[in-house]
Amino acid sequence: MMGVARYWREIPVRYNLIGKKCGVCGKVYFPPRNICPTCRRKSIGKMEDYKLSGKGIVETYTIIHTPPPEFDGKAPYAVAIIKMEEGCHLTAQIVDCPLDEIHVGMKVEACLRRIQEDGKRGAIYYGYKFKKAED
Amino acid sequence: MAAIVGYGAYVPKYRIKAEEIARMWGKEPSSITSGLNVFEKSVPSIDEDTATISVEAARRAVKSSKIDAKEIGAIYVGSESHPYAVKPTATIVAEAIEATPDMTAADYEFACKAGTAGMQNCIALVETGMIKYGMAIGADVAQAAPGDALEYAAAAGGAAFIIGKEGIARINATVSFTTDTPDFWRREGQPYPGHGERFTGEPAYFRHVMGAAKMLMEKMGTSPSDYDYAVFHQPNGKFPLRVAKKLGFEKKQVEDGLLCPIIGNTYSGSTMLGLAAVLDVAKPGQRILAVSYGSGAGSDAFDITVEDAIEGYPRQGIRKMLEEKVYVDYATYMKFRREFK
């Protein structure tokens, strides 16, 4: 269970891939960081919101057969580490692609999907997943 | 009047064939396909719902229109399958296209015509100068009781239209024809709709669609031959063809916008997806009649003229998108629809 407060706080990140860009060295971070680990104190106050393009490639992936309870009934599904165009990495599900067609180096793009829900009465949490790039 | 600035469409890539549903319930497939003129229908993935479909359509509309989403002053999402009973889908869309917070938003429900009702509201707000752009979305993951006749058509998909002062197509006029007609309904807390069987034809669909179309043509002084294209709501593949014939339209005027035989009835998305498919192929100067239908019941009719600006518009190619499909069997379809509790 995620809780509505945390979900609400992370909406820009989860819906629109808003990360941070260091105003000193230009490196992009996702999820957002308050301080650049390279520039450290020099980056304080210079970390700017940065929207990722949503495009990337599959760097590695795994197929989940025994999911945590929140994802019950949805297995098997693929979870990949994706290298984004901006150089940062993130972990996300790959959807709308037969599991045997997913491969390292596959071009993917972000879409918004249901991630999980707090039971039948609770909130529904939406967020990014990735599918095969259209172009 | 106001204009269509841009549009975006989205239909999930999964399909189930009518013959697979017929096999499940021991029906003769050919009697279904020839009776309804529906061969297959779209199926939402397990993690798709009206909100995610609306977001996908909305993002495509914003991208193609090349407008700043911050200038959208109103978002209305019409659907009969909003993921929440209370908590607007429109706010999720607004956040996902970064149009918040200087804007208004609401969800609409009028069976299959809630999306076009949203279009009319956007037109009014643009006309009065209250907003620069408005976005109206019609989207559904339509429910149908397993084994019900509706199951062969109830599909998933949606379209988003951005309305503004200038755009790719001028909306010359819009009228509505509304009565209290209990042809189809879903009671609070019920998972599936009920309907009046044959009653859904003459006194419901045909009366309202023809009523609105005739009112509009009378207002504009037009006849069917003045239109290059006509789009009618598509509860199945037969009704829109029959209503076209009754009104005096030819089959070729209806064909480009007729998607139901290959994707089913996307409910609130139906007329708007049909209109989007027409805009995909229309040329400047061509004229379109679009008439939605929502049970309960009412029809919204639109008289539209395509503008020169459509030449530079990055058109979606909805029919091309529909070619990307994966067939699922009945059990997978039920799993994707989260029917196993």
Side-chain angles (χ1 to χ4, degrees), chain B residues 27-297:
Chain B
K27 302 280 186 192
E28 177 56 44
S30 61
S31 71
I32 301 293
T33 50
S34 65
L36 295 174
N37 191 23
V38 178
F39 298 89
E40 54 194 56
K41 67 167 189 174
S42 61
V43 176
S45 184
I46 197 163
D47 57 1
E48 290 185 294
D49 62 18
T50 292
T52 65
I53 289 170
S54 298
V55 166
E56 191 74 38
R59 284 178 171 169
R60 287 168 191 237
V62 170
K63 190 179 169 193
S64 302
S65 307
K66 300 187 183 80
I67 62 159
D68 180 357
K70 288 273 179 221
E71 293 188 316
I72 295 173
I75 297 182
Y76 298 108
V77 181
S79 180
E80 57 179 69
S81 53
H82 290 289
Y84 289 96
V86 180
K87 162 83 183 82
T89 308
T91 57
I92 299 168
V93 175
E95 207 69 62
I97 60 170
E98 298 177 276
T100 56
D102 182 7
M103 57 169 298
T104 182
D107 285 0
Y108 280 177
E109 186 280 314
F110 195 146
C112 298
K113 85 159 190 81
T116 56
M119 277 177 72
Q120 290 180 324
N121 242 37
C122 287
I123 292 167
L125 293 176
V126 166
E127 285 288 301
T128 56
M130 273 182 70
I131 59 170
K132 184 174 181 184
Y133 298 121
M135 177 182 274
I137 298 171
D140 259 302
V141 284
Q143 314 103 340
D148 192 294
L150 291 174
E151 196 182 22
Y152 295 96
F161 279 76
I162 299 173
I163 308 293
K165 279 231 177 297
E166 303 293 332
I168 57 173
R170 175 74 43 201
I171 299 163
N172 305 314
T174 176
V175 299
S176 296
F177 186 102
T178 310
T179 72
D180 180 354
T181 307
D183 59 325
F184 171 101
W185 57 84
R186 182 165 63 82
R187 295 276 300 276
E188 183 69 42
Q190 291 298 308
Y192 307 118
H195 53 88
E197 305 285 345
R198 290 185 182 279
F199 186 65
T200 60
E202 288 304 328
Y205 179 87
F206 291 99
R207 180 182 176 211
H208 293 80
V209 171
M210 292 176 72
K214 283 178 179 170
M215 267 168 59
L216 185 63
M217 287 193 280
E218 196 174 318
K219 181 178 176 178
M220 301 305 286
T222 51
S223 63
S225 60
D226 292 318
Y227 298 94
D228 299 279
Y229 303 97
V231 181
F232 301 105
H233 172 57
Q234 303 161 24
N236 52 55
K238 277 221 158 152
F239 277 19
L241 290 173
R242 199 182 300 160
V243 84
K245 195 173 177 187
K246 281 182 167 215
L247 283 164
F249 287 87
E250 290 177 40
K251 200 176 173 189
K252 64 175 186 196
Q253 289 166 287
V254 186
E255 278 172 339
D256 282 296
L258 187 63
L259 300 174
C260 187
I262 54 169
I263 61 168
N265 178 9
T266 52
Y267 283 49
S268 301
S270 177
T271 307
M272 293 169 78
L273 276 168
L275 178 57
V278 164
L279 289 170
D280 266 353
V281 295
K283 296 180 179 68
Q286 289 191 318
R287 203 160 175 179
I288 305 163
L289 175 75
V291 188
S292 64
Y293 173 72
S295 290

Side-chain angles (χ1 to χ4, degrees), chain A residues 11 15-16 18 51 55 73-76 93 95-98 110-114 117 120 122-126 129 131 134-135, chain B residues 10 12-14 45-49 51-53 55-56 59-60 63 83-84 91-93 95-98 321 326 335 338 341:
Chain A
I11 278 178
Y15 287 15
N16 288 312
I18 309 289
K51 185 179 180 177
K55 292 180 193 299
K74 299 187 174 67
Q93 274 189 48
V95 295
D96 285 1
C97 182
C111 57
L112 189 85
R113 293 292 173 95
R114 286 168 81 111
E117 55 189 65
K120 289 287 160 217
I124 304 165
Y125 302 131
Y126 296 90
K129 292 186 183 179
K131 57 184 179 180
E134 277 182 15
D135 39 35
Chain B
Y10 177 72
K13 72 184 294 187
Y14 298 98
S45 184
I46 197 163
D47 57 1
E48 290 185 294
D49 62 18
T52 65
I53 289 170
V55 166
E56 191 74 38
R59 284 178 171 169
R60 287 168 191 237
K63 190 179 169 193
Y84 289 96
T91 57
I92 299 168
V93 175
E95 207 69 62
I97 60 170
E98 298 177 276
M321 175 177 76
V326 175
K335 177 185 167 184
R338 300 188 289 273
K341 307 293 180 192

